[in-house]
Amino acid sequence: QVQLVESGGGLVQAGGSLRLSCAASGRTFSNYAMGWFRQAPGKEREFVAAISGSGGSTYYADSVKGRFTISRDNAKNTVYLQMNSLKPEDTAVYYCAARAGMVLTTSGRYVYWGQGTQVTVSS
């Protein structure tokens, strides 16, 4: 069992930055690929970014590439999402998720989920 707790969401103006954190507990963190997903009101949950257990491989949705950076600190059992040049369309609840083994970009393949943190970008 893996427990995930996100933090760092909030209200920011367009063009601003936020850094989300996701603290994990329960199992050997480096054994788990981690992903960030988001869900805006009335829309389906979508992939944002993912990182392998070692941190050596990262993947991004086209909509955030060049603006968001995913990273992890396995010593602290934490994964981060640095979000720069935020746009109003980035407004959503952001979730972190974990899965054992290979990093994937499909939400249905992730087993463990956090409770989500709200990010609101004003224009």
Side-chain angles (χ1 to χ4, degrees):
Q1 192 78 359
V2 176
Q3 292 80 42
L4 303 173
V5 178
E6 302 99 333
S7 61
L11 174 64
V12 64
Q13 288 188 334
S17 298
L18 281 175
R19 188 175 82 155
L20 305 183
S21 299
C22 174
S25 61
R27 296 288 182 92
T28 305
F29 185 60
S30 59
N31 289 346
Y32 289 81
M34 301 296 295
W36 285 98
F37 296 83
R38 66 187 181 187
Q39 187 166 18
K43 294 188 177 182
E44 294 187 353
R45 189 170 298 185
E46 65 174 0
F47 168 73
V48 176
I51 188 167
S52 61
S54 68
S57 298
T58 56
Y59 303 86
Y60 297 93
D62 288 343
S63 59
V64 307
K65 204 170 292 184
R67 300 188 298 122
F68 291 11
T69 302
I70 189 171
S71 62
R72 66 190 297 159
D73 184 338
N74 286 343
K76 295 183 178 179
N77 285 9
T78 302
V79 63
Y80 305 97
L81 185 68
Q82 178 67 44
M83 305 186 294
N84 298 330
S85 302
L86 282 161
K87 304 175 181 180
E89 51 263 44
D90 294 318
T91 296
V93 177
Y94 283 71
Y95 299 89
C96 73
R99 70 179 308 275
M102 182 185 300
V103 57
L104 297 173
T105 62
T106 306
S107 62
R109 304 298 294 273
Y110 283 77
V111 177
Y112 304 103
W113 291 83
Q115 82 288 351
T117 186
Q118 177 70 47
V119 171
T120 303
V121 184
S122 63
S123 57

CSV table of all heavy atoms in Angstrom, one decimal, residues 33-57:
chain,number,residue,atom,x,y,z
A,33,ALA,N,7.0,4.2,-10.4
A,33,ALA,CA,6.8,5.3,-11.3
A,33,ALA,C,5.8,6.2,-10.8
A,33,ALA,O,4.8,5.8,-10.2
A,33,ALA,CB,6.5,4.8,-12.7
A,34,MET,N,6.0,7.5,-11.0
A,34,MET,CA,5.0,8.5,-10.5
A,34,MET,C,4.5,9.3,-11.6
A,34,MET,O,5.2,9.7,-12.6
A,34,MET,CB,5.7,9.4,-9.5
A,34,MET,CG,6.3,8.7,-8.3
A,34,MET,SD,5.1,7.9,-7.2
A,34,MET,CE,4.2,9.3,-6.7
A,35,GLY,N,3.2,9.7,-11.5
A,35,GLY,CA,2.6,10.5,-12.5
A,35,GLY,C,1.8,11.7,-11.9
A,35,GLY,O,1.4,11.6,-10.8
A,36,TRP,N,1.7,12.7,-12.7
A,36,TRP,CA,0.8,13.8,-12.3
A,36,TRP,C,-0.3,13.9,-13.4
A,36,TRP,O,0.0,13.8,-14.6
A,36,TRP,CB,1.5,15.2,-12.3
A,36,TRP,CG,2.4,15.4,-11.1
A,36,TRP,CD1,3.7,15.2,-11.0
A,36,TRP,CD2,2.0,15.9,-9.8
A,36,TRP,NE1,4.2,15.5,-9.7
A,36,TRP,CE2,3.1,15.9,-9.0
A,36,TRP,CE3,0.7,16.2,-9.3
A,36,TRP,CZ2,3.1,16.3,-7.7
A,36,TRP,CZ3,0.7,16.6,-8.0
A,36,TRP,CH2,1.8,16.7,-7.2
A,37,PHE,N,-1.5,14.0,-12.9
A,37,PHE,CA,-2.7,14.1,-13.8
A,37,PHE,C,-3.5,15.3,-13.3
A,37,PHE,O,-3.3,15.7,-12.2
A,37,PHE,CB,-3.5,12.8,-13.7
A,37,PHE,CG,-2.8,11.6,-14.2
A,37,PHE,CD1,-1.9,10.9,-13.4
A,37,PHE,CD2,-3.0,11.1,-15.5
A,37,PHE,CE1,-1.2,9.8,-13.9
A,37,PHE,CE2,-2.3,10.0,-16.0
A,37,PHE,CZ,-1.4,9.4,-15.2
A,38,ARG,N,-4.4,15.7,-14.1
A,38,ARG,CA,-5.3,16.9,-13.7
A,38,ARG,C,-6.7,16.7,-14.3
A,38,ARG,O,-6.9,16.0,-15.3
A,38,ARG,CB,-4.7,18.2,-14.2
A,38,ARG,CG,-4.6,18.4,-15.7
A,38,ARG,CD,-3.9,19.7,-16.0
A,38,ARG,NE,-3.9,20.0,-17.4
A,38,ARG,CZ,-3.2,20.9,-18.0
A,38,ARG,NH1,-2.4,21.8,-17.2
A,38,ARG,NH2,-3.2,21.1,-19.3
A,39,GLN,N,-7.6,17.3,-13.6
A,39,GLN,CA,-9.0,17.2,-14.0
A,39,GLN,C,-9.6,18.6,-13.8
A,39,GLN,O,-9.7,19.1,-12.7
A,39,GLN,CB,-9.8,16.1,-13.3
A,39,GLN,CG,-11.2,15.9,-13.8
A,39,GLN,CD,-11.8,14.6,-13.3
A,39,GLN,OE1,-11.3,14.0,-12.3
A,39,GLN,NE2,-12.8,14.1,-14.0
A,40,ALA,N,-10.1,19.2,-14.9
A,40,ALA,CA,-10.8,20.4,-14.9
A,40,ALA,C,-12.3,20.1,-14.8
A,40,ALA,O,-12.7,19.1,-15.2
A,40,ALA,CB,-10.5,21.3,-16.1
A,41,PRO,N,-13.1,21.1,-14.3
A,41,PRO,CA,-14.5,20.9,-14.2
A,41,PRO,C,-15.1,20.5,-15.5
A,41,PRO,O,-14.9,21.2,-16.5
A,41,PRO,CB,-15.0,22.3,-13.7
A,41,PRO,CG,-13.9,22.9,-13.0
A,41,PRO,CD,-12.6,22.4,-13.7
A,42,GLY,N,-15.9,19.5,-15.5
A,42,GLY,CA,-16.6,19.0,-16.7
A,42,GLY,C,-15.7,18.3,-17.7
A,42,GLY,O,-16.2,18.0,-18.8
A,43,LYS,N,-14.5,18.1,-17.4
A,43,LYS,CA,-13.6,17.4,-18.3
A,43,LYS,C,-13.1,16.1,-17.7
A,43,LYS,O,-13.1,15.9,-16.5
A,43,LYS,CB,-12.4,18.3,-18.7
A,43,LYS,CG,-12.8,19.5,-19.4
A,43,LYS,CD,-11.6,20.3,-19.9
A,43,LYS,CE,-12.0,21.5,-20.8
A,43,LYS,NZ,-10.8,22.2,-21.3
A,44,GLU,N,-12.5,15.2,-18.5
A,44,GLU,CA,-12.0,14.0,-18.1
A,44,GLU,C,-10.6,14.2,-17.5
A,44,GLU,O,-9.9,15.2,-17.8
A,44,GLU,CB,-11.9,13.0,-19.2
A,44,GLU,CG,-13.2,12.5,-19.7
A,44,GLU,CD,-13.1,11.4,-20.7
A,44,GLU,OE1,-12.0,11.1,-21.1
A,44,GLU,OE2,-14.1,10.8,-21.1
A,45,ARG,N,-10.2,13.3,-16.6
A,45,ARG,CA,-8.8,13.4,-16.1
A,45,ARG,C,-7.8,13.2,-17.2
A,45,ARG,O,-8.0,12.3,-18.1
A,45,ARG,CB,-8.6,12.4,-15.0
A,45,ARG,CG,-7.3,12.5,-14.2
A,45,ARG,CD,-7.3,11.6,-13.0
A,45,ARG,NE,-8.4,11.9,-12.1
A,45,ARG,CZ,-8.6,11.3,-10.9
A,45,ARG,NH1,-7.7,10.3,-10.5
A,45,ARG,NH2,-9.6,11.6,-10.1
A,46,GLU,N,-6.8,14.0,-17.2
A,46,GLU,CA,-5.8,14.0,-18.3
A,46,GLU,C,-4.3,13.9,-17.7
A,46,GLU,O,-4.0,14.4,-16.6
A,46,GLU,CB,-5.9,15.2,-19.2
A,46,GLU,CG,-5.5,16.5,-18.6
A,46,GLU,CD,-5.5,17.6,-19.6
A,46,GLU,OE1,-5.8,17.4,-20.8
A,46,GLU,OE2,-5.2,18.8,-19.2
A,47,PHE,N,-3.5,13.3,-18.5
A,47,PHE,CA,-2.1,13.1,-18.2
A,47,PHE,C,-1.4,14.4,-18.3
A,47,PHE,O,-1.6,15.2,-19.2
A,47,PHE,CB,-1.5,12.1,-19.1
A,47,PHE,CG,0.0,12.1,-19.1
A,47,PHE,CD1,0.7,11.5,-18.0
A,47,PHE,CD2,0.8,12.6,-20.1
A,47,PHE,CE1,2.1,11.5,-18.0
A,47,PHE,CE2,2.2,12.6,-20.1
A,47,PHE,CZ,2.8,12.0,-19.0
A,48,VAL,N,-0.5,14.7,-17.3
A,48,VAL,CA,0.3,15.9,-17.3
A,48,VAL,C,1.8,15.5,-17.5
A,48,VAL,O,2.5,16.0,-18.4
A,48,VAL,CB,0.1,16.7,-16.0
A,48,VAL,CG1,1.1,17.9,-16.0
A,48,VAL,CG2,-1.3,17.2,-15.9
A,49,ALA,N,2.3,14.7,-16.6
A,49,ALA,CA,3.7,14.4,-16.6
A,49,ALA,C,3.9,13.1,-15.8
A,49,ALA,O,3.1,12.7,-14.9
A,49,ALA,CB,4.6,15.5,-16.0
A,50,ALA,N,5.0,12.4,-16.1
A,50,ALA,CA,5.4,11.2,-15.4
A,50,ALA,C,6.9,11.0,-15.3
A,50,ALA,O,7.6,11.5,-16.2
A,50,ALA,CB,4.7,9.9,-16.1
A,51,ILE,N,7.3,10.2,-14.3
A,51,ILE,CA,8.7,10.0,-14.1
A,51,ILE,C,9.0,8.6,-13.7
A,51,ILE,O,8.2,8.0,-12.9
A,51,ILE,CB,9.3,11.1,-13.1
A,51,ILE,CG1,10.8,11.0,-13.0
A,51,ILE,CG2,8.6,10.9,-11.7
A,51,ILE,CD1,11.4,12.2,-12.3
A,52,SER,N,10.1,8.0,-14.1
A,52,SER,CA,10.4,6.7,-13.8
A,52,SER,C,10.9,6.6,-12.3
A,52,SER,O,11.2,7.6,-11.7
A,52,SER,CB,11.5,6.1,-14.7
A,52,SER,OG,12.7,6.9,-14.6
A,53,GLY,N,11.0,5.4,-11.8
A,53,GLY,CA,11.4,5.2,-10.4
A,53,GLY,C,12.8,5.8,-10.1
A,53,GLY,O,13.0,6.4,-9.0
A,54,SER,N,13.7,5.7,-11.0
A,54,SER,CA,15.0,6.2,-10.8
A,54,SER,C,15.1,7.7,-11.1
A,54,SER,O,16.1,8.4,-10.7
A,54,SER,CB,16.0,5.5,-11.8
A,54,SER,OG,15.7,5.8,-13.1
A,55,GLY,N,14.1,8.2,-11.8
A,55,GLY,CA,14.1,9.6,-12.2
A,55,GLY,C,14.8,9.9,-13.5
A,55,GLY,O,14.9,11.0,-14.0
A,56,GLY,N,15.3,8.8,-14.1
A,56,GLY,CA,16.0,8.9,-15.4
A,56,GLY,C,15.2,9.2,-16.6
A,56,GLY,O,15.7,9.6,-17.6
A,57,SER,N,13.9,8.9,-16.5
A,57,SER,CA,13.0,9.1,-17.7
A,57,SER,C,11.8,9.9,-17.3
A,57,SER,O,11.2,9.7,-16.2
A,57,SER,CB,12.5,7.7,-18.2
A,57,SER,OG,13.6,6.9,-18.7
